[in-house]
Amino acid sequence: MSLTPPAAVIVLAAGQGTRMKSATPKVLHRLAGRSLLGHVLHAATSLRPERLAVVVRHERDLVAAHARELEPSVLIADQDEVPGTGRAVECALLALDAAVQSEHLAERDERAPLAAADGGIAGPVVILSGDVPLLDGPTLGSLVQSHQDEGNAITVLTTVLDDATGYGRVVRDENDQIAKIVEHRDATEAERAIKEMNSGVYVMDSGVLRSALAEVDRANDQGEVYLTDVIALARRRGGDVRAVVTADPTLVEGVNDRVQLAALGAELNRRIVTDWMRAGVTVVDPGTTWIDGDVQLSPDVTILPGTQLHGTTTVGTGSVIGPDTTLTDVAIGENSTVTRTHGTGGQIGNDATVGPFTFFRPGLELGERGKLGAFVEVKNSQIGAGTKVPHLSYIGDATIGEETNIGAASITVNYDGVNKHRTVIGSYARTGADNMFVAPVRVGDGAYTGAGTVVRRDVPPGALGVTTGNQRNIEGWTASRRPGTPAAEAAGRALGDQFSAQAQAEASRRQTDSHTPDPS
């Protein structure tokens, strides 16, 4: 039987998360390139639900804005002052019902009465916690499929732990169905000995959920409306409540503090790296390699130690990345190498070479066979095929053509203190070392510039741009101005008698200058 999408998914994201000790709401803390809430929404949307709701309260506007950024169609439901997961789900259900009623009213003939079916959502509702980042789509799909195939009123995702301290215990009846779920603080000693724990992930029939929530009270140690109380009510009414047991407890582990955030981040990264190795990527040292969930790698990519690939980075077949490289939102072509580089928001073509010790910021476009060498920084620049910026240079707000060579220690002077300006260098150009290109300026195709040139005016195609003057040597300067220094002694040894003569001549000249009458 094919999987029918659920009527709704409700994500609980109202908690404060005090144990995180952070001004940032717990569900907005990140691992593997996504927020905790982002991971949960990613899994939720894989079910293709008819509607998606997120329950918010603490830092309501921040969480709501982030949820809408990730899923624009999401419905935001506000939890009121009544505490507990049951109340959170009830608030979401009320918002979902109101949304359905509003849609039906807008669609129906205004003269027709409101039908019973127009009262709210109907069908299975999936309930998730916003702080369970490793829960994946296939696991949720299996849960919904079991609920559908078995015709359950409620289906609960559970797991078995050797030590379930702190978790709700799953109490089964003689038919092996779930009779109730008891929170740890409310459990008896016998119930605390149970190793099967509640994950907080459910599929519930909307009608069962709606009617049961109307009867749930706050008679518990915490004074909260427990969602788990819905299970016992459903069983007393004859509904089937069954479990799907996952053998992987990490899938349903939540984040309550930064220790758990780090531990789950490391585990998620281990799984991501392992999956890529099984897909044909060589990862030399998995322990020092970090890859975000949205990164895409092709077969025969090699990742060297100390490398982090973040955001939407993509790497083409045959490319080698690392060691000690951090890339965020970078697209790399095939058979390229990126070594000891830190880069964000760039595109690197096929057969290109970057690094070592290269830094690039958003807007880099490096053509095929291009090169960015040691100690080069690039920002917002397009660099053509086969063009090389070998070393010790800054290229900002520039367009460089094909097969051009940029001399060492070159700088595009792009900022005048108020505005940024652009440098354009053509194809097959050769620029000298220690050049300054004072933008806006153009260097034409096939042009040359001399070493030490400050290019303030356009250089026409095929021309040589030079701003250096004639060199002048002042003989004997070291002997006269730095006598007794190691430099003077070295010069003396090299020049011998000539050095002594130079020193005497310079001393005589200075003495003469000191006795020359002042013309005034």
Side-chain angles (χ1 to χ4, degrees), residues 11-12 26-27 36-37 40 129-133 253-256 264:
V11 180
L12 308 183
K26 179 174 71 171
V27 296
L36 299 180
L37 180 58
V40 176
S129 296
D131 62 355
V132 183
E253 187 173 344
V255 172
N256 291 306
L264 283 181

Side-chain angles (χ1 to χ4, degrees), residues 334-421:
E334 297 181 355
N335 302 312
S336 293
T337 61
V338 181
T339 304
R340 288 193 168 89
T341 292
H342 192 112
T344 302
Q347 298 179 30
I348 297 171
N350 298 338
D351 302 296
T353 303
V354 177
F357 310 115
T358 300
F359 173 48
F360 62 85
R361 292 181 278 152
L364 165 67
E365 296 177 20
L366 179 64
E368 62 181 17
R369 297 177 289 103
K371 178 179 180 178
L372 301 178
F375 303 104
V376 170
E377 179 180 353
V378 182
K379 184 268 293 186
N380 189 30
S381 295
Q382 294 76 52
I383 300 172
T387 288
K388 299 176 176 59
V389 186
H391 31 227
L392 301 167
S393 296
Y394 170 69
I395 305 297
D397 299 295
T399 299
I400 305 176
E402 299 179 357
E403 304 295 342
T404 286
N405 188 84
I406 303 298
S410 292
I411 294 175
T412 57
V413 185
N414 57 335
Y415 186 47
D416 64 8
V418 178
N419 298 308
K420 297 288 181 70
H421 301 281

